[in-house]
Amino acid sequence: MSLSSRAEQAIRPAGAGGQIAESGTARACKVRLSGVGKRYGAVTALHSTDLEVREGEFVTLLGPSGSGKTTMLNLIAGMTAPTSGRVSIDGRDVTDVPANKRELGMVFQHYALMPHMTIFENVAFPLRVRRRSRAEIDAEVAKALRLVRLPDLGARKPRELSGGQQQRIAIARCLVYSPSIILMDEPLGALDKKLREELQLELKRLHRELGITVLYVTHDQEEALTMSDRIVLMNGARIEQMGPPEELYFRPRSLFAATFLGDSNILDGTVKSTGTVVEVETAYGTFRSSEIEPGTAGVGDAVQILIRPENFHTQPASAERNDNRVTGQMVNSIAYGGVTKTFVRLSDDKVLVVQELTKAGRMTVEPGTPATLSWNAGDGRILPPAKPAVSAAG
Ligand code: ADP
Ligand code: MG
């Protein structure tokens, strides 16, 4: 199926008027997946999955390529039929309802605008197939174009617009018929960094202003961290962990989650004692950590300590105060504008990265200079022993 016909399938209602299931409650459950899974022959694209998305939430499916993000989105959209489980929207079971009767908006990575139509006609399309009056179409298209801040481009053809503008038009076409949910599959993936950041802010603004439920797919962790109310982290066709951005960033429950989101320093060790503070013995000393999921590691278990680069302190005064200290040698220090990353080598060539605000006069370090890094027990996150690998075909 071509991209534009996929888009048409999603935005064209089956019968005149379509059906909009209304839900009045502010944080009602909007989308529910119960045991939803998808197989293609021997390939499991999505293992049996449970997920709830609440009304007005901005939920991001984040994960590496092939982790099942598009599959999950397409199962919700009705573009793909599940092999197992049920999908419901606004409390109604829609598992057997075709895409064009689900009244969802879809935005893809490639704009999927219809090249022969003007911008106005592209945006008007979903209203025309719903047989809205001419006056209503004029008013709603103008409103949608204003919302995406391109009010004057109606007469142009898609090829006369930049990539960023075309994607805004694709978003306008999706907003124009007021779907109650918008599904976006890597919508900014084809744009350069600056445009992407600009449109991220635009999408957040639209989400705030319209109070619409958004399900957003990206493989870009920064994008997920800045935009989402909640992140669903995918790995190997399953949900690895889900929660608000802060929770995924500061309380990852696996090495995969810890390293997929943000920069990380990982120290391998063995649990020496447990309690509110866990003591872990490593090749560089014994360290105290208070960030652990209760009951996930016992004495003698092999664990890892995660320390985010911004949680290391380099000042001698901090070393006195902090719970943990490690010594090494400066490798180098690189200022990225307002932040400086400093690399410190430990005894066995392990290199830790420290991130601090750039300070005048401290931008250069002499390689080989001894360095002491310190951190608090609350900033050392214990990652539990890895679970035995599950078969990918399971
Ligand atoms: P993502 O969007 O996270 O990159 P997908 O959901 O597209 O991942 O794919 C998940 C897995 O399912 C991949 O291994 C992919 O190759 C497989 N897959 C997806 N669609 C099909 C299909 N139509 N036929 C066979 N395998 C598929
Ligand atoms: Mg995909």
Side-chain angles (χ1 to χ4, degrees):
M1 207 189 307
S2 79
L3 279 168
S4 5
S5 63
R6 254 171 89 194
E8 282 182 48
Q9 187 190 334
I11 61 188
R12 192 197 282 273
Q19 303 160 350
I20 301 176
E22 283 295 340
S23 156
T25 339
R27 302 294 277 179
C29 177
K30 194 79 195 164
V31 179
R32 174 175 284 124
L33 302 185
S34 318
V36 171
K38 180 68 184 178
R39 278 164 174 266
Y40 294 98
V43 178
T44 301
L46 188 68
H47 290 280
S48 173
T49 296
D50 295 318
L51 175 71
E52 275 186 23
V53 178
R54 289 181 291 277
E55 174 108 52
E57 235 189 333
F58 194 119
V59 171
T60 299
L61 307 181
L62 171 71
S65 177
S67 57
K69 307 180 298 292
T70 294
T71 300
M72 203 196 287
L73 208 70
N74 285 343
L75 287 163
I76 294 168
M79 306 286 212
T80 306
T83 324
S84 67
R86 309 303 297 175
V87 179
S88 62
I89 296 176
D90 291 321
R92 183 169 77 113
D93 189 320
V94 295
T95 316
D96 303 314
V97 174
N100 54 7
K101 282 194 179 170
R102 294 193 189 184
E103 284 295 315
L104 308 172
M106 293 218 57
V107 179
F108 303 96
Q109 178 171 357
H110 297 284
Y111 327 120
L113 297 178
M114 291 167 261
H116 54 285
M117 290 185 192
T118 63
I119 296 308
F120 181 94
E121 285 305 326
N122 265 282
V123 179
F125 182 79
L127 299 176
R128 290 217 193 285
V129 297
R130 286 171 176 76
R131 302 188 189 288
R132 301 292 171 80
S133 73
R134 193 164 157 196
E136 192 182 348
I137 290 175
D138 285 348
E140 292 301 318
V141 171
K143 192 171 128 197
L145 290 176
R146 271 200 310 277
L147 272 172
V148 297
R149 306 199 168 171
L150 293 176
D152 304 319
L153 299 186
R156 294 208 200 161
K157 291 280 179 64
R159 65 169 180 278
E160 298 168 311
L161 268 54
S162 71
Q165 288 174 328
Q166 289 188 50
Q167 196 57 309
R168 279 172 199 241
I169 297 302
I171 293 164
R173 184 182 57 184
C174 174
L175 296 174
V176 77
Y177 61 100
S178 309
S180 63
I181 309 172
I182 295 188
L183 309 177
M184 301 198 201
D185 196 347
E186 314 230 7
L188 310 182
L191 306 175
D192 65 46
K193 186 170 156 59
K194 194 163 176 295
L195 248 177
R196 208 161 61 224
E197 288 175 353
E198 199 180 305
L199 277 183
Q200 284 170 5
L201 293 176
E202 286 289 291
L203 283 173
K204 275 307 281 178
R205 174 182 66 82
L206 287 170
H207 173 247
R208 247 191 339 267
E209 282 177 13
L210 304 174
I212 225 164
T213 308
V214 179
L215 252 151
Y216 191 93
V217 167
T218 184
H219 62 267
D220 178 340
Q221 46 104 6
E222 267 181 48
E223 188 162 288
L225 286 169
T226 49
M227 299 189 69
S228 325
D229 294 325
R230 209 146 54 97
I231 295 174
V232 175
L233 180 64
M234 306 282 301
N235 180 24
R238 322 174 175 272
I239 297 179
E240 175 90 13
Q241 187 174 346
M242 58 182 153
E246 314 81 72
E247 194 176 308
L248 268 100
Y249 187 79
F250 290 110
R251 303 211 158 105
R253 295 211 197 96
S254 61
L255 185 61
F256 176 84
T259 49
F260 197 82
L261 280 99
D263 286 341
S264 46
N265 293 287
I266 305 286
L267 299 176
D268 291 306
T270 309
V271 176
K272 250 176 92 178
S273 72
T274 56
T276 5
V277 169
V278 175
E279 284 186 303
V280 177
E281 196 174 344
T282 76
Y284 322 101
T286 297
F287 302 123
R288 295 157 61 79
S289 291
S290 57
E291 265 301 326
I292 183 166
E293 294 294 310
T296 52
V299 173
D301 281 347
V303 294
Q304 285 154 324
I305 311 172
L306 159 73
I307 306 128
R308 295 294 184 191
E310 63 273 25
N311 286 334
F312 278 133
H313 301 264
T314 53
Q315 299 294 78
S318 312
E320 308 264 303
R321 280 196 309 270
N322 287 340
D323 301 307
N324 299 297
R325 275 164 295 281
V326 69
T327 54
Q329 293 187 328
M330 293 286 191
V331 180
N332 64 1
S333 193
I334 303 167
Y336 297 86
V339 297
T340 296
K341 286 188 184 182
T342 303
F343 299 85
V344 173
R345 179 175 290 123
L346 304 186
S347 51
D348 63 353
D349 278 0
K350 169 136 194 119
V351 174
L352 300 180
V353 55
V354 181
Q355 183 173 307
E356 295 174 300
L357 295 180
T358 304
K359 293 183 196 77
R362 289 191 47 218
M363 283 176 60
T364 48
V365 294
E366 196 57 44
T369 314
T372 298
L373 302 182
S374 64
W375 71 99
N376 277 313
D379 292 329
R381 170 79 179 168
I382 303 283
L383 304 173
K387 281 174 251 145
V390 252
S391 127

